[in-house]
Every structure is written in structure tokens, then in C-alpha cells.
Amino acid sequence: MRLVVDLNRCQGYAQCAFLAPDVFAMHGDESLLYDPEADEEQRENVARAVAACPVGAILVEYDAADGPVLTPEVRGER
Amino acid sequence: MSGDGSLEHLKREGRIVVVGASLAGLRAAETMREKGFTGSLTMIGDEPYEPYDRPPLSKQVLLGKATADRTALPRRRDIDAKWRLGVPASGLDMAARRVRLADGDEVEYDRLLIATGVRARPWPNEAEGALDGVFVLRTRDDGARLERALAAGPRRVLVIGAGFTGSEIASACRERDLPVTVAERGAAPLVGALGGVIGEVAAQMHQEHGVDLRTGVMVTGLEGDPSGRVRAAHLSDGATVEADVVVVSLGAQRNTEWLAGSGLGAGPRGIACDAGCRAFNIWGIVTDDIYVAGDVARSPHALFGYQFLSLEHWGNAVAQAETAAHNMLSEGMDRRPHVWIPAFWSSQFGVNIKSVGVPPMGTEIQVTQGSLAERRFAAVYGYQGRMIAAVTFDNCRWLPFYEHQIETTAPFPPPFSTVDRRPEGHKPMPADFPDPSVPTHGPTITLSGYSPADRTMTFTPARH
């Protein structure tokens, strides 16, 4: 699962760090650090964090149910 | 509008080529598909990786909290593209509508989007820059290499240049308890982006966290040991700093060399385009099939005196890509201008720094809330009696308010008081930006407009 947080939008409400502490963490009072490629077992927590973000700043791409996201590198394309 | 069905034909079976497979290129491609483009889409990128996110490279990656190979950007949707990764574009034939690739291939287009971005400015002395232990930080590979070097526990790290990236690197080093020296040519860190008043706050942050900060100095040379490993740096004040890791953080260069001789208006300052992201040719005449977006673009902004702004900002890459993609598939009044308000963030020494507007245009600054000494404040920049920008340190929830003030050209100094206004914030003071003609580490916004009264401009071919 891949994610990116639009930190222009992020206002440090820390809902994500509360709901998915293994993926999101506050660094200082209002800076956010996150794991851009979170483990699949975090799926539910991340989904809750996305829904609870007061400014809608989190974009997630979940892995397909039948396997990981196939990257161009993996597919051997150039 | 042409109304001859050519736009419908383009959307149905046209060929669109995107050069630059990073944030701007990816978001543009997604937008095109979203708008119903069903033709062929080719994504060309010089790195062998699919689009990834760069901001984590100088933050969580250097802190060891994420790895550089796991920053690939999430997709908003499937873009069904043909990927040409690991091969840079090497030329453009505007007449034949063809992009040349470094491996000899050519790709034809009906519409072209250029989003080739910037790269790290290398150390000017090539031999010294090639010493083992000398790094830059821009790409995923750079991030992985530098993280490995920091994890190995160097005796001292030297960061050359105290812009945002340099400051973030120094911050990460201190968090890992590594001794770090920062050498900055300007009077303070961040001075090019935020001015001397805020630069002084940044300098105190460095010092309080144990950074050996040297300002007003240049690094005149790097010295290696017999095995070709960097061991020391010489400074313009006569000092020598012994360091086994050196990070060159001197800003960025725009990736436009591949367009030399093409006839496109591309040079060291980027590629000039109109408000709709359509690139100019060297005569300043707009093209209608070539668009630009992201760090490499320079476009006029109505809110900032129609100056051509080059913005090395994450949010600008996304917004400009969306506008370019929309306009590539639209005609006439359906097209829209790119009028994004510049905004960026940084995180260093545990402090969240954010800004909106164009601070380097400001001549005055006023601390409207909080206090500089507490590192929690909001300050606004004034330009000719209006608010032109704002910056916050650990006070980001106020930023949307100031953004609205800037968008509506609110007066400066602000005619009202704000909560938490301290005595120091009752009067504006000079913002203290360095003379723009004196080079620093490189601002994140390049103001490259010129006065209409100035008729001395001559065209100079691209040269970095």
C-alpha cells in the first residue's frame, strides 16, 4: 500500500497518528512523518486515518486484492 | 474554437508524450485519462524508477524511518501508459513533432508535455565532487546512498549550503547524534527563501541543536586522502573542517539542455510558458502543442505582477500538471490559467515551517502572531502596501487565513490586530532579503520577470 500526504494541506491535527500509529507519527508539535509504503496489515488503520483526516490530505493506493501493485520495473518495461 | 472535430479526434486516438516521469508527469497523465483521453500515452523518464516522492528523501529516509526505494507515489487511477524509463530525452524536433531519446529511438506526438524538473547542482570542481564521501541529495539513489553513509556513523558531516534541503539534512544528522558543520555563503540559513529576519531564527535553531554553523563563508576546496576519500574542506575564512561525509546542497539546475537548438524558449531559468502552460518558442511566441509543468516551467502570475515564476514546490507540480493536462485537451474559453498560490513546507529541528505567497518579493515583514524567540509564530511580508506572503513556524493552522489575505491583495501592514500579537509584532521591519544578484544556495522561487521599460534584453542560448 502506497501513500502520500499533501503537507500543504496537513495542519497537524494528528488524527492519523492516533488511528494508525505504526504508519504516521508526529515529529515535534505539528510536523508529520509517515511511512510512504505501509504494510498491508495496516490497511484498516490507514483507511480510518484517511477518513478521519480533517483536511483530507492523505492519498492512498491500496494493493490489488490478488497481489501487490505491479510496477513498470517489475513488469520489465522500459 | 476550431469546431472541426480535431479536438475530439485528439482525445479519442491522439498521441500524447510526457517527458519527465515524476510527480508532475504522473499527475498530468492521470488527469488526461480522467478527462477522457483514450489515445496513446507515453511516459519518458531518465531514472529507471516509476514516479516517486522526493520530500521524504531529506526527512524520514535520512532519519532511517522509511527507505528510499519505498517512496513510489500512489496512483489516483490507472493511466495505461507506455513507459520508457531509464532513458533520457535527448532532443526535440518541433516541426516533425518528435522527441528523440538517448538510446536513438524517436517518439512522435500530437501533444507534448515537458516536466523534466531540476537536478541537484553539483560541486563545481568535478574531481573534488567525485571524491568518495561527497554527496548531493535529489534522487532516490542519492537518498539511499546518503542514508547508508549516515548509518555508518561518520565522524563529522559537512553540509554545504543552508537552504531547505541543507537545513533538513543538518537536522537529520543531529537527530542521529552525528556531529555536523553547515557552511553557508549568505548571512543565515534560509535567507534566500525567507529573508534575514527569519534567517536569524533559523540560525538560532541550528545552534541550539548543536550544529556548527558557519555563515558568510564559502567552501573553497575539498581535500581527499590518498585513497580518494574526502577528508577535509577549506573555507574562505581560512578555516579547515575535517569531515568524512560532505553533502553539496547548493540548489538546483533546470533540466533543459536537451532542448538546446530545438527552438523552444528553454534555458537555465526553465521553459517560459503562458498562463495556460503552453510553452513559448525562442521568439516568445506561444506554441499550441507543447506544454510545460512543474519545477522546469516559468509562468506569469497575475497576483505577483505577471512576473514569470519558477516554483520548486511540490504543490505547484501537482496543480500545474492538472492545468496543463486540462488545457492540452481543451480549446478556447474552456482552457484555464494556472494561478496557484505558491506554498511550501519544511520540517527541521522538530519545527514545522510553512509559507504561502512569494516571500522574496516582500520588502518588509511583521510578526503578526506569536514570537520569534519561541519558534511559534506567523509573520507576513509586505510589498508596496499589500500582503504578498506569509510564513509560519509551528503555527500552520493560521496559514489558510493568510493565504486568503494574499489572494485578496489585503493591505500591509494589516489594519487589524490578531490574537497573540506581541509587542515585537506591532511594527513592520525590513525583511532583509539578500541582493538577488548575489548568488546563494538558490531560492525555491525564482523571480525572473523584468521591467517592461527594460529594452536591453537579448536572447542568449541555453547555458548552465
Side-chain angles (χ1 to χ4, degrees), chain B residues 138-459:
Chain B
R138 176 73 195 170
T139 66
R140 176 182 141 169
D141 289 343
D142 294 337
R145 276 193 294 259
L146 182 56
E147 200 284 324
R148 270 200 304 276
L150 298 187
R155 276 166 302 163
R156 178 166 291 276
V157 178
L158 170 67
V159 179
I160 307 176
F164 285 108
T165 306
S167 298
E168 287 170 11
I169 294 166
S171 169
C173 288
R174 288 310 300 146
E175 201 155 323
R176 298 180 81 138
D177 212 20
L178 296 169
V180 58
T181 298
V182 172
E184 163 59 41
R185 179 177 184 156
L190 312 184
V191 73
L194 295 173
V197 174
I198 304 302
E200 185 51 41
V201 179
Q204 286 163 12
M205 270 172 24
H206 279 250
Q207 280 150 355
E208 277 165 29
H209 286 83
V211 174
D212 170 30
L213 176 68
R214 319 276 186 99
T215 55
V217 294
M218 284 187 291
V219 174
T220 53
L222 301 176
E223 187 187 318
D225 65 16
S227 70
R229 249 204 96 74
V230 71
R231 60 165 292 275
H234 301 287
L235 308 186
S236 56
D237 61 2
T240 297
V241 175
E242 288 191 18
D244 37 9
V245 167
V246 172
V247 192
V248 178
S249 197
L250 295 172
Q253 291 179 322
R254 295 185 161 74
N255 291 318
T256 54
E257 290 89 342
W258 67 284
L259 294 163
S262 66
L264 203 66
R269 285 174 164 175
I271 304 165
C273 63
D274 73 1
C277 309
R278 297 183 298 179
F280 290 159
N281 71 14
I282 57 169
W283 311 123
I285 298 169
V286 77
T287 59
D288 204 32
D289 51 357
I290 303 177
Y291 291 70
V292 291
D295 294 5
V296 79
R298 297 171 57 206
S299 64
H301 201 306
L303 201 51
F304 304 100
Y306 292 97
Q307 286 212 63
F308 278 75
L309 298 182
S310 307
L311 301 169
E312 292 173 31
H313 294 167
W314 191 93
N316 183 65
V318 175
Q320 201 165 22
E322 290 168 348
T323 301
H326 170 88
N327 290 344
M328 287 168 85
L329 299 169
S330 307
E331 285 175 314
M333 289 308 285
D334 292 338
R335 285 179 169 159
R336 54 174 207 233
H338 175 58
V339 284
W340 189 71
I341 307 293
F344 65 81
W345 74 83
S346 174
S347 160
Q348 43 190 275
F349 306 106
V351 173
N352 189 30
I353 302 174
K354 286 182 131 185
S355 164
V356 292
V358 182
M361 264 182 92
T363 49
E364 293 174 284
I365 187 170
Q366 184 172 352
V367 181
T368 45
Q369 289 173 281
S371 120
L372 299 180
E374 289 164 26
R375 313 286 143 66
R376 182 185 291 277
F377 62 86
V380 296
Y381 294 83
Y383 171 72
Q384 296 184 347
R386 57 177 276 224
M387 209 185 285
I388 203 83
V391 61
T392 60
F393 275 43
D394 272 352
N395 221 344
C396 71
R397 278 175 215 172
W398 277 97
L399 218 52
F401 163 73
Y402 291 108
E403 180 174 347
H404 180 71
Q405 298 274 305
I406 295 160
E407 273 179 324
T408 51
T409 64
F412 179 93
F416 48 77
S417 196
T418 31
V419 296
D420 200 22
R421 175 84 53 92
R422 310 286 176 82
E424 73 185 78
H426 283 308
K427 261 201 207 142
M429 54 192 143
D432 193 20
F433 279 96
D435 179 347
S437 68
V438 177
T440 62
H441 43 74
T444 52
I445 303 176
T446 305
L447 295 170
S448 50
Y450 60 95
S451 159
D454 179 2
R455 305 279 178 195
T456 60
M457 211 177 64
T458 53
F459 176 68

Side-chain angles (χ1 to χ4, degrees), chain B residues 30 33 75-81:
Chain B
E30 289 163 348
R33 290 301 189 202
R75 308 278 176 88
R76 291 178 179 169
R77 54 171 296 132
D78 183 26
I79 58 170
D80 185 24

Side-chain angles (χ1 to χ4, degrees), chain A residues 2-4 6-8 10-13 27-31 33-34 36-37 39 59 61 71-73 77-78, chain B residues 27 48-50 53 60 66 70 73-75 83-85 175 343 345 347 350 352 354 376 394-397 400:
Chain A
R2 300 162 168 185
L3 56 98
V4 68
D6 182 341
L7 291 172
N8 282 319
C10 173
Q11 295 187 10
Y13 287 100
H27 190 245
D29 287 343
E30 61 173 49
S31 297
L33 289 182
Y34 59 91
E37 204 170 305
D39 293 332
L59 174 67
E61 180 189 7
T71 68
E73 299 147 86
E77 287 176 28
R78 262 186 50 117
Chain B
R27 294 294 179 243
Y49 311 119
E50 64 173 312
D53 206 27
Q60 47 264 58
R70 287 161 59 104
L73 283 160
R75 308 278 176 88
W83 293 86
R84 302 293 306 263
L85 296 175
E175 201 155 323
W345 74 83
S347 160
N352 189 30
K354 286 182 131 185
R376 182 185 291 277
D394 272 352
N395 221 344
C396 71
R397 278 175 215 172

Side-chain angles (χ1 to χ4, degrees), chain A residues 12 15 21 50 62 65-66 69 71 75:
Chain A
Q15 276 290 103
V50 171
Y62 297 106
D66 55 350
V69 177
T71 68
R75 290 199 300 263

